[in-house]
Amino acid sequence: MADEPLVLGIETSCDETGVGIVRGHTLLADAIASSVDEHARFGGVVPEVASRAHLEAIVPTMERALAEAGVTIADIDAIAVTSGPGLAGALLVGVAAAKGYALAAEKPVYGVNHLAAHVAVDTLEHGPLPEPAIALLVSGGHSSLLRVDDLAGGVTPLGATIDDAAGEAFDKVARLLGLPFPGGPWIDREARAGDAGAIGFPRGLTAAKDLAAHRYDFSFSGLKTAVARWVEARQRAGEPVPVADVAASFQEAVCDVLVGKALDACRTSGIDTLVIGGGVAANSRLRAMAEHRAAKHGIRVRVPRPKLCTDNGAMVAALGSHLVASGVAPSRLDLPADSALPLTTVSV
């Protein structure tokens, strides 16, 4: 095996079928097939639809990635696959495919944590991750703050959402405003024409009594309800709903809490690197606010380019490459798909 391992990553935890190939920290291929359009009419991801879409897409996506990288499966040093967390049926497709390719090509397989992969993908953009670092992971299913002392050895959870994840709140508010699914990009787009200070929506778990018990935890359910009540009041009064202002004010509330708690964790722990990952990390206001506020405290913010923030195979390959280079033993061929894989388990 070369000094920089050639690793293939497979991602099927939700509605994207992703296959990525990296050599060390260099991205060679990132092939994605998304079934998001098939879920749009339902207003959310339907697990059975996602699983069937993965079945149809996994082989063509694999072939595209290998062609893009100009390699064959025989050239690959190791195969990494998302083992969890995620939708059980969707995960099974990726795990089964990884086992099949690994067995046929006689390659080691690494079952990895989807959330840890969202941290690792930043290495493809900015190089090796300084350790320790604080990581803020924000997506449709997760909102978590982590301390990363050794990505290969495990991470320490500092806080997480106690109800709705940030991305879930974006989807629900978008639906309230008559915007398409997935809601994140549409809220971001509408907010650019709105006034972020027009409506004072609440910032969950930021009151003194809440911080005592939930300093690094998140809650977006109350914010979502506040937006719904505000919109309903306007509609009852027969007044138009200023979609851009609602979107901007809601987005500001979410980003304010995410950035505030992440920077608090950095300052309290004396760590000067903040990594932001997950689908919501593609939000333009979150990226701008984090960089602006962090600069005041001498904290460096690392955020991958938007395409690498959403689910993809490159992030799985990046984590797999890090595990191989760190000398971590590969997984057994009977590795499971674990929909509730804990954050503390980086590799299975």
Side-chain angles (χ1 to χ4, degrees):
M1 189 179 296
D3 290 339
E4 290 194 323
L6 184 64
V7 178
L8 181 146
I10 298 173
E11 157 62 28
T12 63
S13 68
C14 192
D15 58 349
E16 263 97 22
T17 307
V19 178
I21 300 174
V22 306
R23 187 183 293 282
H25 298 304
T26 303
L27 178 60
L28 303 181
D30 183 22
I32 296 174
S34 177
S35 61
V36 66
D37 291 342
E38 297 177 47
H39 305 285
R41 65 193 177 99
F42 301 107
V45 176
V46 182
E48 178 65 15
V49 172
S51 300
R52 290 180 180 277
H54 288 309
L55 277 172
E56 295 172 1
I58 189 67
V59 172
T61 308
M62 174 71 76
E63 291 172 347
R64 279 197 292 126
L66 291 169
E68 185 182 334
V71 299
T72 67
I73 195 70
D75 298 320
I76 299 296
D77 292 316
I79 296 172
V81 61
T82 296
S83 188
L87 302 174
L91 289 167
L92 281 168
V93 176
V95 169
K99 290 178 182 179
Y101 282 110
L103 193 60
E106 297 183 331
K107 304 296 180 181
V109 63
Y110 288 79
V112 305
N113 190 301
H114 174 82
L115 300 177
H118 272 303
V119 178
V121 74
D122 182 74
T123 62
L124 301 179
E125 189 95 28
H126 301 114
L129 183 69
E131 294 173 341
I134 296 295
L136 172 64
L137 299 184
V138 276
S139 65
H142 306 275
S143 295
S144 304
L145 261 179
L146 318 170
R147 177 184 171 117
V148 184
D149 288 292
D150 176 10
L151 188 55
V155 298
T156 305
L158 300 177
T161 182
I162 63 172
D163 43 56
D164 288 354
E168 187 180 2
F170 270 93
D171 289 338
K172 291 177 178 177
V173 168
R175 193 179 310 140
L176 282 170
L177 297 177
L179 300 174
F181 174 85
W186 291 95
I187 293 281
D188 195 353
R189 196 170 303 150
E190 288 290 335
R192 291 171 193 170
D195 177 4
I199 309 159
F201 288 131
R203 272 65 168 162
L205 296 184
T206 57
K209 63 180 177 62
D210 294 322
L211 288 173
H214 298 284
R215 184 169 185 174
Y216 300 130
D217 291 325
F218 304 103
S219 171
F220 297 108
S221 180
L223 170 59
K224 174 200 67 182
T225 301
V227 175
R229 296 291 174 266
W230 196 92
V231 169
E232 289 164 4
R234 295 281 293 201
Q235 292 171 334
R236 280 197 305 271
E239 299 174 358
V241 174
V243 173
D245 285 348
V246 174
S249 299
F250 161 76
Q251 178 176 266
E252 193 74 5
V254 173
C255 295
D256 188 19
V257 173
L258 291 173
V259 172
K261 295 204 173 206
L263 294 181
D264 180 34
C266 288
R267 294 194 303 271
T268 302
S269 56
I271 294 173
D272 62 3
T273 300
L274 171 64
V275 180
I276 306 178
V280 179
N283 180 272
S284 63
R285 181 57 181 148
L286 177 61
R287 298 166 79 96
M289 183 188 290
E291 289 174 5
H292 176 70
R293 292 189 185 178
K296 297 178 182 177
H297 300 284
I299 296 169
R300 183 188 177 197
V301 175
R302 294 175 39 144
V303 193
R305 58 185 178 271
K307 187 182 178 186
L308 291 180
C309 291
T310 51
D311 292 349
N312 59 80
M315 70 186 204
V316 178
L319 180 53
S321 177
H322 183 72
L323 295 174
V324 172
S326 299
V328 175
S331 306
R332 291 162 48 102
L333 269 177
D334 61 354
L335 75 101
D338 185 350
S339 62
L341 187 67
L343 257 174
T344 48
T345 303
V346 172
S347 60
V348 179

